[in-house]
Amino acid sequence: MEWLGINAGLGLAILGAALAVFLGGTGSSIGVGIAGQTSAGIMSEDPEKFGKLLLLQALPGTQGVYGLLIGFWILIRLTGVEVVTVDQGWQLLFACLPAAINGLMSGIWQGKVSAAAMNIIVKHPDASGKALILPAMVETYAIFGLLASLLLTNRVVF
Amino acid sequence: MSISHDSRYAYAVGRIRVLETRLLDMSKLGRMVEAKSADEALRILGETEYADLVSRAAGPQDYAAVTAGEITRVYSLMKKLLPDEALVDLFLIKYDIHNMKVALKAQFQGQNFEHLFIDAGLVPAKLMPYVCQQEKLQGVPPEYYAFASAAALAYEESKDPKVIDLVLDRMQYSHTAAMAEKHGYAFLARFLASQADLANIRSLVRTKRLGRGRDYLAGNLLPGGTVPQAVLLEALTEEWTAIIARFSSSPYQAVVEQGINALLESRGLTMLEKLSDGFLAELSRSVRFQAFGPEPVLNYILAKENEVRNIRIVMLGKLNGVPNEEIRERLREGYA
């Protein structure tokens, strides 16, 4: 890996951190975007529903936060490390992927389920608790991704 | 990993969900039917989404302006909500065709039928006479000129104004279906096919009841249905029971069976008409819970058209002193 320069390991680790932030954030922004359009539609007719819709719209935003968390975690782990070998760099890059890819996909789908759940709230305002459960299910898999990435990055030894 | 383009409708669907809760349900319509007078029925209508239009109406005899105002309001609201106006345009074709019929008949009979125009179409109603005279105007779909000349030609041959209706009805169906296909509205295409099928079944039953021949039926059949025209023409010479049996494995089984039985019990064609409207309502209702895509919007527009139709039935009945029971029987079930 000479051609990548002597600091290729550090570069790979940063790429991992960047991917977690970038893909998680993309998933969330698409998800929050879809849910936001639906809640804008509902609120333009019925502004009173704001409180109930807010949580549903915010829910797909967590994937971006998880990605950011992994990004920061990599930075913290790298503080004080003199040289990151290419091996360690690859390891960190791969360790970031669960949070990154899970975040992208679950963010989009959670946004869709949130938007669908908002339709329940309009028809049955009393069922808002139940409606919240549905997109929360998708959250499980974003959390699994975060967990896997955290455990994996911790296993990398310097 | 593609983001389905159906999420383009996310805003519209959210808004539709709220609007759906404001549709007139059967209990509200029931109250209008039970009202002591047409004035009271209109007052009840004024408690709903129609408040604004009702307050501007001079009295119950003005109900047509109220319903026309509401349906135009809905179309223009939908145009603002939707990412593609083409979807709403599909619903407006029928008004253009209506206006074209009026304009052509006026032209051939040398009379002024302007009061029959419904100004809700794509082309302003007052321009329709010019379209019929093949004057090229901006914003007029090019197909319209072909429709007008085909209808005019058919009239020249037969000198029967009814032919204009028949020719233009066929054009309207095939044009709307072609546009739905072109823009990829799969559900609407299916809905239109069922609508054509049911209209054809009604034509079959009516033709047989009148004792008219194949040619009469063939002239009345609409294109675009799933039931082949040959099957319908063949059924014309069969017994009623054989016709019912013929449709026994089709989706229209219940409509045909109950509709024909009602006819045989000498209760007329109303039941068949009501059942076929009910079939379409059911078909439309089946997709209304989709969270994305144009289907909920379609269902809402259809529901609104149905609601306006019901209001007209109630107001017309009330103004003419039709017994409540009879009005109730004519009401169509809702789409929501």
Side-chain angles (χ1 to χ4, degrees), chain B residues 42 57 59-68 311-313 315-316 319:
Chain B
L42 190 72
Q61 68 285 352
D62 232 8
Y63 74 94
V66 173
T67 51
I311 291 173
R312 284 200 206 114
I313 292 174
M315 292 308 296
L316 198 63
L319 283 168

Side-chain angles (χ1 to χ4, degrees), chain B residues 197-261:
Chain B
D197 277 339
L198 289 163
N200 288 344
I201 290 173
R202 285 200 303 274
S203 294
L204 164 68
V205 172
R206 203 176 304 121
T207 311
K208 186 166 167 54
R209 187 178 177 229
L210 292 171
R212 306 288 289 263
R214 276 173 77 100
D215 292 341
Y216 179 81
L217 177 60
N220 277 288
L221 289 180
L222 296 173
T226 56
V227 181
Q229 308 219 338
V231 170
L232 292 158
L233 290 170
E234 224 172 275
L236 186 61
T237 52
E238 291 172 348
E239 292 296 313
W240 288 117
T241 45
I243 296 179
I244 294 174
R246 205 178 253 280
F247 286 95
S248 62
S249 57
S250 82
Y252 311 111
Q253 181 263 335
V255 177
V256 174
E257 190 178 339
Q258 292 170 31
I260 290 181
N261 283 337

Side-chain angles (χ1 to χ4, degrees), chain A residues 37 41-42 44-45 119 123, chain B residues 10-11 14-15 17-18 20 22:
Chain A
Q37 287 180 61
I42 295 172
S44 55
E45 293 293 337
N119 295 336
K123 280 254 145 67
Chain B
Y11 171 79
R15 209 157 157 185
R17 290 294 173 230
V18 183
E20 269 176 353
R22 297 182 192 155

